[in-house]
Amino acid sequence: MGTPAARQSTDQIYRELRAGILAAVLRPGEAMSEARMAVRFGVSRTPVREAFKRLVEEGFLSVVPQVGTFVAPIDIVAVYDSQFVRETLECRTVVLAARHIDEAGKAALEHLIREQERALANSDQVAFFKLDDAFHAEISRLSGHPAVWSLIESVKAQLDRVRCLSLESATWPEMIMREHRGIVECIAKANEAEAETAMRAHLRTVFAAIENIARSHVDAFAGSAPPIRLD
């Protein structure tokens, strides 16, 4: 790869393909061609090959010898691990947010709710997803521990693939909005116990999402789900 221009091309291709996989634009099982991607990005096959290699190492692409390269199925074990991290950390940050909430914090959360409602009304799935993350990041900020969200982001890539596929359901985004409103109400009332309960229930919707996706996307997941411990 060597030259700065080649490295830049590889980085750009890697970022765009990774974003496409996370957003379910590139679906589990979809064939990926080095030649086709080279034409798409206007480069030689070398930076595409390097980008593919990185995505394979991260578990986003899989190579079948003598057959080809494909978008990898969602790693179900990684989904459950990241779900465990999210629940452990966010059920704590929401308690602290409720404990320390002020008028400015309430206004910030209400603004995010309105923006997410606007994205939903406009059927803007990309904006809705980004605002979902912004909502949870704001709760971490209000807890006094903004870096917690950065930690969560570092482990939730496979979980994000589930979240994006779940948004294709006609009813799922509305449910997410109801749950977000409920969390904001609990925080605004400074009710720590109810805020924690609401957040835990909200985060556990991923289990239902997995079941729904598995029914409509038979080959979407790889691996066996570990037993769910709800205690």
Side-chain angles (χ1 to χ4, degrees), residues 181-228:
R181 293 186 200 103
I183 291 168
V184 170
E185 289 174 5
C186 294
I187 293 174
K189 293 187 297 184
N191 192 319
E192 298 175 22
E194 288 187 8
E196 180 178 3
T197 297
M199 179 63 80
R200 193 180 306 278
H202 172 59
L203 295 177
R204 286 182 177 177
T205 57
V206 70
F207 301 138
I210 289 170
E211 293 178 4
N212 291 338
I213 293 166
R215 284 194 292 269
S216 56
H217 304 276
V218 178
D219 299 322
F221 296 101
S224 300
I228 300 172

Side-chain angles (χ1 to χ4, degrees), residues 22 44 61 74 138 194:
L22 292 184
S44 71
L61 294 181
I74 299 168
E138 180 63 15
E194 288 187 8

Side-chain angles (χ1 to χ4, degrees), residues 2-226:
T3 69
R7 286 196 297 273
Q8 184 176 7
S9 294
T10 297
D11 290 344
Q12 177 189 356
I13 295 164
Y14 162 79
R15 287 194 300 270
E16 290 196 28
L17 294 181
R18 188 179 189 274
I21 293 169
L22 292 184
V25 175
L26 298 172
R27 318 288 282 194
E30 183 172 338
M32 300 290 288
S33 162
E34 286 184 10
R36 178 162 51 86
M37 290 299 159
V39 172
R40 170 181 164 182
F41 289 101
V43 297
S44 71
R45 292 176 63 168
T46 299
V48 174
R49 187 176 300 116
E50 292 296 329
F52 275 21
K53 181 180 177 181
R54 288 168 65 177
L55 292 165
V56 168
E57 290 171 350
E58 293 184 4
F60 294 116
L61 294 181
S62 59
V63 178
V64 180
Q66 310 304 317
V67 178
T69 301
F70 303 86
V71 176
I74 299 168
D75 184 340
I76 192 66
V77 174
V79 170
Y80 276 67
D81 283 348
S82 56
Q83 168 62 21
F84 175 80
V85 171
R86 283 201 73 172
E87 187 171 325
T88 300
L89 295 176
E90 291 201 67
C91 284
R92 180 58 180 163
T93 57
V94 77
V95 166
L96 295 174
R99 183 176 302 172
H100 302 300
I101 193 66
D102 57 16
E103 293 304 316
K106 293 176 187 178
L109 290 174
E110 290 291 346
H111 172 73
L112 287 169
I113 289 289
R114 288 193 301 272
E115 288 298 304
Q116 199 169 19
E117 288 173 337
R118 184 176 294 110
L120 179 59
N122 293 333
S123 300
D124 189 340
Q125 183 174 319
V126 173
F128 186 91
F129 186 84
K130 288 181 178 178
L131 287 162
D132 188 304
D133 276 356
F135 175 80
H136 288 271
E138 180 63 15
I139 290 173
S140 289
R141 187 188 72 80
L142 293 172
S143 77
H145 298 281
V148 166
W149 183 249
S150 297
L151 175 59
I152 291 170
E153 282 193 306
S154 71
V155 299
K156 71 182 183 72
Q158 296 290 343
L159 177 59
D160 281 347
R161 298 178 71 189
V162 174
R163 292 168 62 208
C164 279
L165 283 173
S166 71
L167 292 178
E168 295 178 359
S169 164
T171 59
W172 207 265
E174 280 286 0
M175 181 189 68
I176 296 299
M177 286 308 312
R178 288 195 301 272
E179 292 175 351
H180 279 190
R181 293 186 200 103
I183 291 168
V184 170
E185 289 174 5
C186 294
I187 293 174
K189 293 187 297 184
N191 192 319
E192 298 175 22
E194 288 187 8
E196 180 178 3
T197 297
M199 179 63 80
R200 193 180 306 278
H202 172 59
L203 295 177
R204 286 182 177 177
T205 57
V206 70
F207 301 138
I210 289 170
E211 293 178 4
N212 291 338
I213 293 166
R215 284 194 292 269
S216 56
H217 304 276
V218 178
D219 299 322
F221 296 101
S224 300

